[in-house]
């Protein structure tokens, strides 16, 4: 029996990752338009393009190339962004997934810096390493995108180098051009330390949100999927 690329709902404390669906159109249309100044190197659909964007992601999912998720903020119940597993690579000599990439990620301006991205990455990484038992997880971004590179390094990924003219550019005004891509990874051997680091960051994010009177009570982390 061959491996089927299918992702479950992933529940956290700050964010719930739900398989992307047309029910998320209205929320994502609002999220995409909050403040587009942070999307310099990342293509994010406009409100009018969200439905078509979801159709394209679902088509990739049907072709078993990608698992798209909506990032739903638990506090508000609103979808505030998207993310995905994609580029799955199978073991050459046995059943199962050898490696996968996490990408196609964007967040509403109001959700950036809140801990939502950190916990979403934690949920995706944990499922990949502990359920699919991958040997490697990849992330990449436009080599010029210093903000994205810093965010990727902050979740424990290791910089591997820059692949020149690697893929199409998503920067405004660069249609038809290629970009250099900065490549990052986490291996299975690195995951335990990365997991601890992410859990500590999530705990700090949760404590910043809690009333001072509640700080004596330990903050629960999301259970294993």
């Amino acid at each position: 029996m061959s491996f089927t690329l299918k992702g479950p709902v992933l529940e956290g404390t700050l964010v719930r990752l739900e398989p992307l669906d047309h029910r998320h159109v209205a929320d994502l249309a609002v999220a995409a338009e909050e403040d587009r100044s942070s999307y310099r190197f990342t293509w994010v659909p406009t409100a009018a393009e969200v439905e078509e964007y979801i159709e394209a992601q679902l088509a990739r999912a049907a072709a078993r190339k990608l698992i798209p998720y909506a990032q739903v903020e638990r506090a508000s119940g609103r979808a505030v962004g998207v993310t995905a597993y994609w580029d799955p690579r199978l073991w050459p000599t046995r059943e199962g997934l050898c490696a996968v990439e996490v990408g196609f990620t964007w967040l509403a301006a109001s959700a950036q810096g809140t801990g939502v991205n950190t916990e979403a990455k934690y949920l995706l990484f944990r499922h990949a390493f502990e359920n699919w038992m991958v040997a490697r997880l990849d992330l990449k971004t436009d080599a010029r995108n210093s903000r994205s590179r810093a965010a990727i390094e902050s979740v424990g990924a290791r910089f591997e180098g820059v692949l020149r003219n690697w893929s199409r550019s998503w920067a405004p005004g660069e249609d038809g051009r290629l970009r250099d891509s900065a490549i990052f990874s986490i291996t299975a051997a690195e995951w335990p330390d990365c997991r601890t680091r992410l859990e500590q960051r999530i705990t700090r994010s949760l404590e910043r949100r809690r009333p001072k009177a509640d700080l004596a009570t330990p903050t629960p982390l999301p259970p294993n999927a």
Side-chain angles (χ1 to χ4, degrees):
M1 184 176 178
S2 61
F3 177 84
T4 300
L5 188 70
K6 185 177 181 180
V9 173
L10 299 175
E11 293 274 1
T13 303
L14 296 170
V15 65
R16 179 174 64 254
L17 300 183
E18 300 177 353
L20 186 65
D21 190 81
H22 288 289
R23 70 181 182 277
H24 299 117
V25 168
D27 283 351
L28 292 176
V30 172
E33 297 293 347
E34 279 188 4
D35 179 0
R36 299 186 64 85
S37 64
S38 64
Y39 302 145
R40 182 180 175 192
F41 296 108
T42 302
W43 185 79
V44 175
T46 63
E49 294 169 330
V50 166
E51 190 155 6
E52 183 180 355
Y53 170 83
I54 291 177
E55 282 287 351
Q57 294 295 74
L58 293 179
R60 294 184 179 103
R64 299 185 178 181
K65 296 179 179 178
L66 173 142
I67 300 175
Y69 281 103
Q71 300 194 59
V72 177
E73 185 181 52
R74 299 277 314 256
S76 66
R78 296 183 301 110
V80 294
V82 299
T83 191
Y85 290 117
W86 75 299
D87 191 22
R89 282 98 76 199
L90 301 179
W91 287 103
T93 56
R94 59 183 173 90
E95 182 183 336
L97 194 62
C98 172
V100 71
E101 182 168 339
V102 169
F104 283 98
T105 301
W106 59 266
L107 276 174
S110 62
Q112 295 174 24
T114 63
V116 165
N117 177 64
T118 300
E119 189 176 55
K121 292 293 193 296
Y122 171 75
L123 295 170
L124 292 166
F125 295 176
R126 188 178 68 184
H127 186 76
F129 284 114
E130 299 180 15
N131 291 77
W132 290 338
M133 307 300 291
V134 299
R136 171 191 170 94
L137 188 142
D138 308 332
L139 303 100
K140 66 175 180 283
T141 188
D142 191 307
R144 299 168 294 179
N145 193 341
S146 58
R147 181 174 181 176
S148 178
R149 290 176 65 159
I152 291 171
E153 289 183 326
S154 75
V155 296
R158 181 175 297 185
F159 175 61
E160 294 189 330
V162 173
L163 299 179
R164 296 177 298 165
N165 290 344
W166 178 248
S167 61
R168 66 175 292 183
S169 173
W170 297 104
E174 294 188 356
D175 290 349
R177 292 178 58 182
L178 297 174
R179 77 175 197 189
D180 295 347
S181 292
I183 309 298
F184 298 79
S185 72
I186 302 167
T187 67
E190 295 165 343
W191 168 238
D193 286 342
C194 179
R195 174 175 177 151
T196 297
R197 180 176 177 178
L198 286 171
E199 288 176 346
Q200 291 170 345
R201 290 190 62 196
I202 294 166
T203 297
R204 290 195 295 270
S205 293
L206 291 168
E207 287 176 347
R208 285 196 295 269
R209 290 168 169 247
R210 296 168 68 197
K212 290 182 179 179
D214 295 337
L215 290 180
T217 304
T219 300
L221 285 170
N224 283 326

